[in-house]
Each structure stands twice: as structure tokens, then as C-alpha cells.
Amino acid sequence: MAVTIRDVADASGVHVSTVSRTFSAPHMVNAETRTRVLDVAERLGYRPNRAARSLTTGRTGNLGLIVADLANPFFPPLIKAAQATARGQDYHLFVADTDEDPAEEQDLVLAFSKQVDGIVLCSPRLSNKALGKLAETIPFVLVNRRMRGVPTVVMDVASGARAAMEHLAGLGHRKVALAAGPAGSWTSGELRRAVTDAPGLETLVFGPNAPTEEGGLAVAAQVAEAGVTGVLAYNDLVAIGLIAGLEERGVAVPGDVSVIGVDDSITGRMHRPKLTTVAMPTADAGRLAVDLLIKPMSAATVLETHLVVRDSTAPPAASP
């Protein structure tokens, strides 16, 4: 038979209401009693009834996590870390995918707001105005998007992009490009500023582009025709698609054009040539975002990035 709250109360020597408060409002129970009740509950295998708890506390014990594209290898490490953090604090995590569609993103936030206590929004594509209105309906934390008054976790992609530009310049490249990402992407804007401000380099920007291999394939013709010798791509997927598109046109990587990605995904590490890339601390971002959601505070956390040099970059070919 299932263990009940009364079983835990009897075994702990406390009233049923004390067991209830231990799980629903632990700050109202003294530390010694709380520890005893939790130890007994663990020993007996008691699990509180979430539906009943939500009626008394107004909280569901559920969190939402909305990402731009589940197929993008950038997101799984973040999702797994967020899920483990939520589980460790007795929350369930529901995950949904917007397929890069701002309208779907808004619909999902509104749908989730009836079922969860808060939402982590990863790489949102909505405008700040739209996000501000949604923030009035449900607490949320933004990942890779800055917004005043909303807790955020951002990865310092601009610093990584500057390191990428310094790497290309150090190899002898002088004319480089950015294969930008979606128009509504904060990350793409950060990359654009870092690339166009790079000293000593002539820089071009191609985009916006879809943040996929298809987006990289589509921009390959522009890159090949522009005479650039180095490219920073919006993410590893765009970089991989770009390499394929360049090679279809007889442009060798890195012999003719060096290509750098962003993410340090497993896909980039397994690609040939192995991808030089800006490593993003996605798992750390997932953990911190859930922590900020469970313990609300108006905070902006910036996580460091770094350049990982592999085989897709080299000095430019000598002029004939």
C-alpha cells in the first residue's frame, strides 16, 4: 500500500499538519523537526501528492523550458542540466520547442503559464515589448537574451567572437565575414558587433540566415564570391553547412577559407575537418537558469566563453 502523510506523521512523532508544512512551506518548520520528517519520509518512500499540494500552496511543482530548436545540438546539454537541477529541487520540467517561430513561442508561454510555476526561455525570438507583457503573466528567466528587470543568464559570446577574430588576424587573414543568424537573435547581434568592430580586419556580414546546416549551405555562394579568407558562423550547424557548400564549389576548408563555429557541439567535434569554435557553457546556463527561477531575484549572470582551435582554420593561401 502507498505510504500516506499520516504514516510519516506517526513515525516522526509530529502532527499531520507539520508534515504538510515540511513539504509545502519548509521555512515554517524548525530545522531539527524538518530534518527528522524528511528522513522518515525518505526511509518510508513517501512522496507528497503534488495535486493536493498545489491546491493549498498555489504552486504546481512544475517548471517549463522553451527552446528555439530541439534538433540543434546546442540545446540538449542545457536541457539535461536544467532537468537534473529541477529534479534535485523536487520540480518536474516540461520542455517545448518553438521551431524558431516567435508566434509559437508566445503561444507556448501562455499555455505553460497555466501549468507551471515559472519558465526558462532559451534564445527567445520575441521582441522585448512582447516579452515584457508575458513577464506580467508568469515568472521567467531568459537565457542568451538581456532584458531589464528580468533574471537572465547570458554567455559572453562577444568575447568569444573577439577571440575568433584575433585568431584569424594572427593567422594572417585580413578580409573576413560573419555568417549571421536569425534576425531576432540576441547572439547574432552580439556576434555582429564583435566582428564589425574587430581592428585591422575588413569585415562583411551575410545574413540573416537560418540557424541550421541549410542556412550555412545557402550562404556559401555569397562567401565564395566575396573573396573572404575567414568566416565566423552563427553556430556550429551553420559552419558545417557552410563548409559543405564551399566544398561543393571547389573551395577548400581551411586551405582556401577558414571557418569558425559557435557552440562547441558534439557535431562540430565529430565533423571533418574538426571545427574551430567558440565554446559555450550550455550546461552551466541550464543549471543557473533553473536556480534563478526557483529562487527568484533580478539578476544578470554572464558566463565566460573561450575559443577552441581545431582543424578548420589555417593561414590564408598565398596570393598567386
Side-chain angles (χ1 to χ4, degrees), residues 3 8 23 35-47:
V3 178
V8 177
F23 288 98
T35 299
R36 184 167 75 253
V37 170
L38 291 173
D39 287 347
V40 169
E42 181 68 23
R43 176 167 54 82
L44 296 179
Y46 172 72
R47 293 292 179 269

Side-chain angles (χ1 to χ4, degrees), residues 113-202:
S113 66
K114 302 176 179 65
Q115 307 170 55
V116 301
D117 299 325
I119 299 171
V120 175
L121 267 174
C122 297
S123 303
R125 305 299 186 224
L126 286 166
S127 67
N128 279 357
K129 183 177 180 180
L131 288 172
K133 288 182 178 180
L134 291 174
E136 297 172 1
T137 66
I138 181 78
F140 58 71
V141 172
L142 300 177
V143 175
N144 272 4
R145 177 71 167 269
R146 292 185 184 273
M147 187 173 169
R148 184 176 298 174
V150 176
T152 60
V153 178
V154 297
M155 296 170 235
D156 192 358
V157 67
S159 174
R162 288 191 292 270
M165 294 298 100
E166 290 170 4
H167 173 61
L168 290 175
L171 289 172
H173 296 270
R174 293 296 175 261
K175 186 176 182 181
V176 301
L178 169 68
S185 167
W186 173 85
T187 296
S188 192
E190 291 290 291
L191 293 173
R192 180 185 293 263
R193 281 186 286 275
V195 169
T196 55
D197 291 344
L201 292 172
E202 180 185 351

Side-chain angles (χ1 to χ4, degrees), residues 50-51 53-54 59-65 86 89-94 112-120 138-139 293-294:
R50 288 182 178 274
R53 191 200 308 179
S54 69
R59 300 184 68 80
T60 65
N62 300 323
L63 303 175
L65 174 64
Q89 301 189 57
D90 199 28
Y91 280 86
H92 292 151
L93 188 71
F94 300 150
F112 268 5
S113 66
K114 302 176 179 65
Q115 307 170 55
V116 301
D117 299 325
I119 299 171
V120 175
I138 181 78
L293 197 57
I294 294 173

Side-chain angles (χ1 to χ4, degrees), residues 131-316:
L131 288 172
K133 288 182 178 180
L134 291 174
E136 297 172 1
T137 66
I138 181 78
F140 58 71
V141 172
L142 300 177
V143 175
N144 272 4
R145 177 71 167 269
R146 292 185 184 273
M147 187 173 169
R148 184 176 298 174
V150 176
T152 60
V153 178
V154 297
M155 296 170 235
D156 192 358
V157 67
S159 174
R162 288 191 292 270
M165 294 298 100
E166 290 170 4
H167 173 61
L168 290 175
L171 289 172
H173 296 270
R174 293 296 175 261
K175 186 176 182 181
V176 301
L178 169 68
S185 167
W186 173 85
T187 296
S188 192
E190 291 290 291
L191 293 173
R192 180 185 293 263
R193 281 186 286 275
V195 169
T196 55
D197 291 344
L201 292 172
E202 180 185 351
T203 58
L204 303 174
V205 177
F206 300 120
N209 301 291
T212 60
E213 290 183 59
E214 289 75 16
L217 282 166
V219 78
Q222 291 175 278
V223 170
E225 293 167 5
V228 299
T229 62
V231 182
L232 175 64
Y234 171 75
N235 63 17
D236 286 356
L237 290 181
V238 172
I240 289 167
L242 173 60
I243 291 171
L246 290 174
E247 291 180 344
E248 286 176 1
R249 292 167 172 78
V251 179
V253 176
D256 299 315
V257 175
S258 290
V259 175
I260 301 176
V262 173
D263 287 347
D264 193 23
S265 65
I266 185 65
T267 307
R269 294 194 291 272
M270 295 181 68
H271 186 263
R272 294 295 180 272
K274 290 184 178 181
L275 197 61
T276 295
T277 186
V278 176
M280 303 278 271
T282 51
D284 288 345
R287 283 189 286 270
L288 284 167
V290 170
D291 280 340
L292 284 175
L293 197 57
I294 294 173
K295 305 162 187 173
M297 63 183 76
S298 182
T301 302
V302 180
L303 300 176
E304 292 184 3
T305 61
H306 64 277
L307 184 68
V308 180
V309 178
R310 297 196 181 100
D311 301 335
S312 64
T313 51

